[in-house]
Amino acid sequence: MGLGVAATLSPRLGAQAPWEMRRAEHPRPGGRFEHPLLRESSGVAASRRQPGILWTLNDSGNDAAIFATDTLGRDYGAFAVAGSENRDWEAIAIGPCGPRDCIYIADTGDNGKRRPSVRIYRVTEPSVAAGHPRSPRAEVLEVRYPDGPRDVEAEFVGTDGAVYLIAKGRGRSPRAYRITAEAWESDETVVAEDLGRLPISTGGLGSEVTDAALSPSGDLVAVRTYLAIYLFTLTGEGTLVPLGIACDAAGLQLQGEGISWLDDRVLVLTSEGGFGSPGTIVLLECGDARRDH
């Protein structure tokens, strides 16, 4: 199946990007989430220091906790995040914070676009083997967008510690934003840098951006909507360049939102629960992205 999508980008993002829509390769079910309180997985992040562990979270109206699981959905514990509040958690990512790996939690959901600022929490990745029910106290970064409130469900962290956020879209191409690692040194509300619009059409039902993830190699970004996965290159200058490859993800999950890379080829998708059943986990590949890259 072929689908061409073209949109004009800001100079920061490039020129025009037609997408070659492909079928996802080797899609296969993982498991269902076993933890009884994990009902609304809005994002997922694969650990690099604890192979096989996935971190996920519930969105608004739930406790401020992160959950450790794996691709079979097995329960490795819920970890309360001290010093945080779950107003509307929508994304989770793992990235550096000095010599450590930290979990970055995006409290950035804003369906009504009313929040004058949003929050990013980061906390040292807990050790699942240690079994502590509480993580270290979270650092908090207050963030606002330069162009007013945005509903954001997608986040990833660069190898330099910069946080990238992508707005959901809803009828317009979504905007991308960046917050440098140095922003964590400030006690004031920081203003995210506007990277411009991504060439993704979000006009149709289910085409809004729900998550994003950076590959372990640090140069490929997968941006997920409810229906598809779009691949970008993250340049050394911190800009996003469309790779021109997208994969059809329609029908794989009931309300799929989360995405992460297990390695440089395999992606893991997570979904919210529904109709009395827990959320699901799906593994797939989006073509030979490394070769095409």
Side-chain angles (χ1 to χ4, degrees), residues 46-60:
S47 176
R48 304 302 171 207
R49 300 197 177 192
Q50 302 177 89
I53 294 297
L54 305 177
W55 292 100
T56 188
L57 42 68
N58 285 317
D59 60 14
S60 61

Side-chain angles (χ1 to χ4, degrees), residues 32-232:
R32 292 181 178 271
F33 294 120
E34 291 181 357
H35 198 292
L37 298 181
L38 183 52
R39 298 181 292 265
E40 298 178 281
S41 175
S42 292
V44 63
S47 176
R48 304 302 171 207
R49 300 197 177 192
Q50 302 177 89
I53 294 297
L54 305 177
W55 292 100
T56 188
L57 42 68
N58 285 317
D59 60 14
S60 61
N62 292 280
D63 292 338
I66 53 178
F67 298 81
T69 184
D70 61 16
T71 59
L72 297 178
R74 290 177 291 197
D75 175 21
Y76 291 95
F79 296 75
V81 181
S84 70
E85 176 189 1
N86 186 348
R87 181 168 177 180
D88 195 353
W89 289 8
E90 290 291 355
I92 186 169
I94 292 180
C97 51
R100 305 165 293 157
D101 273 358
C102 277
I103 292 178
Y104 290 73
I105 299 165
D107 188 353
T108 54
D110 189 10
N111 288 329
K113 297 182 181 178
R114 298 187 182 94
R115 299 174 66 175
S117 64
V118 294
R119 288 182 171 183
I120 309 294
Y121 297 104
R122 75 176 182 183
V123 63
T124 302
E125 181 181 357
S127 169
V128 171
H132 297 304
R134 181 176 293 272
S135 72
R137 190 170 185 84
E139 297 178 78
V140 185
L141 187 65
E142 198 82 19
V143 177
R144 67 177 179 87
Y145 305 106
D147 47 355
R150 290 285 181 267
D151 187 20
V152 170
E153 295 190 5
E155 170 204 40
F156 69 90
V157 179
T159 57
D160 61 352
V163 177
Y164 293 78
L165 302 172
I166 303 173
K168 198 165 185 178
R170 288 185 179 161
R172 303 185 67 186
S173 298
R175 300 195 80 90
Y177 303 89
R178 181 175 59 188
I179 306 155
T180 65
E182 290 73 26
W184 292 92
E185 301 172 6
S186 173
D187 294 328
E188 306 294 329
T189 299
V190 300
V191 180
E193 177 187 4
D194 186 356
L195 297 180
R197 294 192 180 276
L198 299 183
I200 297 174
S201 173
T202 59
L205 181 65
S207 59
E208 297 90 355
V209 173
T210 64
D211 204 3
L214 180 67
S215 65
S217 59
D219 59 347
L220 283 182
V221 176
V223 177
R224 182 181 188 182
T225 69
Y226 291 111
L227 299 177
I229 300 164
Y230 298 85
L231 297 180
F232 292 79

